[in-house]
Amino acid sequence: MFPTCANARNVSKHFKTKKNLRQLFFILTAFLTLTTLRVNGQTTDTFSVKLVGKWMLIKHTIPDKGGKSINRLAPDETTTYEFSKDGTYKVTYKDKTGMAVNKGKWKVTDKGKKIHLYNNKAVSPDSKVIIPESDDKTIIKLTAMELVLQEYRFDEQPIGTSYYTKQK
């Protein structure tokens, strides 16, 4: 049996409707996928996973009056951040005068562009480091082994760039 013209039109409409539904499904899937992407194709969760661990400051630069970057990290000074999966962190500062430890909570914000530190508290009795209740640090670069932040260290001006390496 051959299809009649009326049946052929219905079959044609049926396939067009299916095609339209597939296109709609594709567009919705693409939209949902794109809305979860962040900087460099990474989600905020991806940044958080990369950030978990212990990070040691290896260099901190600030621009001098001529515009060149100078390293302000003293040879006897160490700073380490430990970011835990549960959203808590600990930062330890050591230099020739002693040691200071601060703790608080952290989260990645602004679509992976910042680390928000909050509920910050000094936990070492001899802490000479005064930290704000909350602080945002701009992420310049974050890989599995390298963290570069734009941040103030203590009372320095202007804002500097800190280079951290992940410890094993």
Side-chain angles (χ1 to χ4, degrees):
M1 280 209 146
F2 295 103
T4 65
C5 286
N7 286 342
R9 274 187 245 135
N10 286 340
V11 169
S12 176
K13 284 181 184 179
H14 175 74
F15 283 115
K16 284 181 183 176
T17 303
K18 271 189 152 181
K19 184 178 179 183
N20 289 343
L21 285 174
R22 274 187 268 172
Q23 287 175 338
L24 179 63
F25 178 76
F26 176 78
I27 290 169
L28 286 174
T29 303
F31 175 77
L32 291 173
T33 301
L34 290 174
T35 58
T36 61
L37 296 178
R38 300 292 187 255
V39 179
N40 295 328
Q42 299 181 59
T43 65
T44 301
D45 290 339
T46 304
F47 283 100
S48 296
V49 168
K50 283 184 180 178
L51 199 55
V52 169
K54 187 174 184 177
W55 297 88
M56 179 178 278
L57 181 65
I58 56 171
K59 182 168 82 170
H60 179 75
T61 62
I62 60 168
D64 69 3
K65 291 180 182 173
K68 294 182 180 177
S69 292
I70 55 171
N71 188 4
R72 294 291 305 254
L73 185 64
D76 65 340
E77 180 184 355
T78 62
T79 300
T80 56
Y81 274 94
E82 293 180 59
F83 295 100
S84 299
K85 287 180 187 179
D86 66 359
T88 60
Y89 81 94
K90 177 174 92 170
V91 60
T92 305
Y93 307 97
K94 292 181 189 174
D95 66 12
K96 62 184 173 189
T97 64
M99 180 175 86
V101 179
N102 297 312
K103 290 184 177 183
K105 294 183 179 183
W106 69 275
K107 63 182 173 180
V108 175
T109 62
D110 198 16
K111 300 179 183 177
K113 295 177 185 172
K114 293 185 185 279
I115 303 170
H116 179 64
L117 305 176
Y118 60 103
N119 292 347
N120 303 325
K121 294 179 178 82
V123 294
S124 56
D126 62 337
S127 181
K128 297 175 186 129
V129 178
I130 299 171
I131 59 168
E133 170 67 20
S134 68
D135 190 18
D136 287 327
K137 299 181 182 295
T138 301
I139 299 171
I140 296 171
K141 182 178 183 180
L142 176 59
T143 67
M145 298 303 291
E146 182 182 18
L147 171 62
V148 182
L149 299 175
Q150 186 176 43
E151 65 179 340
Y152 291 102
R153 289 194 30 87
F154 313 116
D155 61 351
E156 78 177 6
Q157 293 288 333
I159 196 166
T161 304
S162 295
Y163 299 83
Y164 293 86
T165 185
K166 196 165 205 175
Q167 305 298 294
K168 295 183 181 191

